[in-house]
Amino acid sequence: MIAPIAVALTVGLLGWTYRALKPPPPKICGSPDGPPVTSPRIKLSDGRHLAYREAGVPREEAKYKIVVIHGFGSSKDLNLPASEELVEELRIYFLFFDRSGYGDSDPNPSRSVKSEAYDVQELADKLQIGSKFYVIGISMGAYPVYSCLKYIPHRLAGASLVAPFVNYWWPCLPANLSNDAFSRLLAQDQWSFRVAHYTPWLFYWWMSQKWFPSLSILAGNMAIFSQSDLEILKKWSEAPSVGQEKIQQQGVYESLHRDIMVSYGKWEFDPMDLINPFPNNEGSVYIWQGYEDRIIPFQVNRYLSEKLPWINYHEVPDAGHLLIFESKNCEAVLRELVQR
């Protein structure tokens, strides 16, 4: 009697474990069980689709063309608070897009740091925005910019990394710096990033379980925001932006979870491997960092810019993580990027 019971319990436990670890399949936009496609999209060479949004002056009339790469839990529908007068003065064309798995863009089960750069390049080519373009990466949208600097530097006219994500396991970071910066994070975020880095196959379970607190930003923990961030969030709550309901519509795993697993996983390169893409000063690379940022400790980005002196570092004293969503900062980022 004992053996059959043990077998049954073992099989039951294995079944529960399999279900707990396996994420549900995504609800692909345009599929019978998925949400409808509501945005213009281009088809990539691997068959996936990327959704995009154009803004600013018409691309045919633009002097500067900027691909804007959104961060974690965001989308192509983010609103940069630059005045219409500035955009017209500088003749800027903006190309926003949903990164893989977000909004109306198809998931990419083979997503990697490297694949992000080639998504950007193929989108730019499909829309014929020219042989060179600018990129702005916001928060977690910065790791695709690092990817562009590594894999398609010849396509860039300039790049800005705003409140850029950092991977605490980059080999280039001194242990004392990465450990100190990591210790400044909330304990629940430290554990979430450890799971994503060391055991990504457990990440879906970790983000779904209820026994331990997981990622603070998804739990609505406001302690991670600075005072200036809270003021910006208050404005957003009074006038919610368009498209928020579509960000996770294909599934939280293919949008949020995979974003974290890729960014905090093992990279194909180290930032210190990067070479100045503009040796003749024909363009520039910038890091914009808020001193009051509680999500990305400024010490790491300050260190990276010191070791890579071709990166121009701007530390904004009174700004937090959402610095680009304050009009004066946004316009400063744009002006410096294109006018250098």
Side-chain angles (χ1 to χ4, degrees), residues 158-171:
S160 284
L161 302 98
V162 183
F165 149 92
V166 296
N167 183 319
Y168 299 95
W169 291 272
W170 281 332

Side-chain angles (χ1 to χ4, degrees), residues 34-66:
V37 176
T38 57
S39 305
R41 306 198 302 177
I42 58 104
K43 189 173 183 179
L44 301 173
S45 57
D46 64 4
R48 289 182 295 117
H49 295 85
L50 282 186
Y52 65 92
R53 177 174 71 88
E54 298 172 287
V57 303
R59 79 177 86 131
E60 299 81 8
E61 302 172 13
K63 184 176 181 181
Y64 305 108
K65 297 168 184 177
I66 303 177

